[in-house]
Amino acid sequence: MHSDNKLWPESHDLTKESLAEGVMLLRAFCREDAPLIYSAVQKVDSVSPFRQMIVPSGHTMSVAMTNTGTFGWTTDRQGYRYTTVDPATGQPWLQMPEILFSLARRAAEAAHFPHFVPNSCLINRYSTRARLSLHQDKNEEDYTQPIVSVSLGLPATFLLGTLRRSETPRRIRIEHGDVLVWGGPARLIFHGVAPIAAGTHPLTGAFRINLTFRHVAEPH
Ligand code: SIN
Ligand code: FE2
């Protein structure tokens, strides 16, 4: 039964749940810091505004994206890549705010991945019906460090696959303040996000915000 005095219905308590080898769900890990994290996201948006990118097939993504950190993930007709300059502004991505860097490190450590040094943070903004199809995060060219995925705002159904695309993914409900970490043997799992249901969140309004922290190999 749910009590009425919660900030958001169905909020979980702070727990650590191993979903698979190398996959750890930290429920409510950043719920208290959420307003500060969201302020940092707004600052990033003011430098490099959220935009819907085009994938090589020519399709426009339903998710709007921006980045902070040394490297930012982008896509256009030519393909997926990491850049140090935002193609939309011609300026470097905003340096990663300290609050985001330290959050990602703490989450990785809690999930038994010490020494995580994120140099890239992709920020996804989902409006109603936005979705992300099943994919692997593999443009980083360094799979020794984990992925730390922080979620704010509207809830989502995360599609947790395996190393094989053909296997049906598990459906995991992810809520405001939850952090999911995957790495080691799970670093290249297939994953995605089911279409977001309409709603309003007290902090983010009509959106779900997701931040994924990565370590991208320096160009060689
Ligand atoms: C991603 O795979 O880039 C984002 C996952 C999410 O939004 O939860
Ligand atoms: Fe991803």
Side-chain angles (χ1 to χ4, degrees):
M1 206 163 71
H2 297 118
S3 61
D4 289 330
N5 60 355
K6 285 184 174 171
L7 277 176
W8 181 250
E10 299 177 47
S11 300
H12 293 86
D13 292 328
L14 196 67
T15 58
K16 210 189 268 195
E17 197 182 330
S18 169
L19 298 180
E21 205 191 337
V23 184
M24 192 77 92
L25 178 53
L26 309 170
R27 290 279 187 201
F29 189 82
C30 69
R31 202 195 294 156
E32 280 185 9
D33 290 337
L36 286 173
I37 298 164
Y38 191 58
S39 298
V41 170
Q42 288 173 313
K43 192 172 166 205
V44 175
D45 179 40
S46 72
V47 173
S48 282
F50 282 107
R51 82 293 304 260
Q52 287 174 264
M53 298 182 191
I54 297 173
V55 293
S57 67
H59 171 82
T60 300
M61 299 185 83
S62 58
V63 181
M65 298 178 168
T66 184
N67 291 275
T68 177
T70 305
F71 298 99
W73 186 88
T74 67
T75 173
D76 59 18
R77 298 289 311 221
Q78 272 66 55
Y80 308 134
R81 61 192 167 279
Y82 279 95
T83 63
T84 55
V85 165
D86 177 357
T89 64
Q91 299 298 312
W93 304 103
L94 182 72
Q95 190 189 340
M96 195 181 299
E98 175 57 30
I99 176 157
L100 299 186
F101 181 80
S102 60
L103 165 66
R105 283 184 65 98
R106 280 189 289 114
E109 203 172 319
H112 312 302
F113 294 105
H115 322 301
F116 179 41
V117 186
N119 58 7
S120 175
C121 173
L122 170 67
I123 308 179
N124 294 325
R125 188 183 69 188
Y126 298 76
S127 48
T128 308
R129 290 186 297 277
R131 58 186 288 274
L132 202 58
S133 53
L134 223 51
H135 66 278
Q136 294 168 294
D137 291 358
K138 60 178 185 191
N139 301 129
E140 295 73 28
E141 295 180 17
D142 174 353
Y143 309 131
T144 62
Q145 299 202 29
I147 301 280
V148 172
S149 171
V150 170
S151 294
L152 301 180
L154 294 180
T157 299
F158 186 83
L159 306 173
L160 177 66
T162 66
L163 296 174
R164 288 190 298 174
R165 186 187 283 278
S166 58
E167 265 177 68
T168 306
R170 282 160 70 189
R171 300 172 70 88
I172 311 286
R173 185 178 165 89
I174 298 282
E175 296 182 354
H176 177 68
D178 291 350
V179 179
L180 186 62
V181 182
W182 64 91
R187 175 61 182 74
L188 288 172
I189 54 166
F190 283 91
H191 59 280
V193 177
I196 300 294
T200 307
H201 188 274
L203 182 65
T204 65
F207 298 113
R208 168 178 188 255
I209 301 288
N210 174 267
L211 302 90
T212 42
F213 296 88
R214 302 100 187 268
H215 178 82
V216 176
E218 304 282 338
H220 38 261

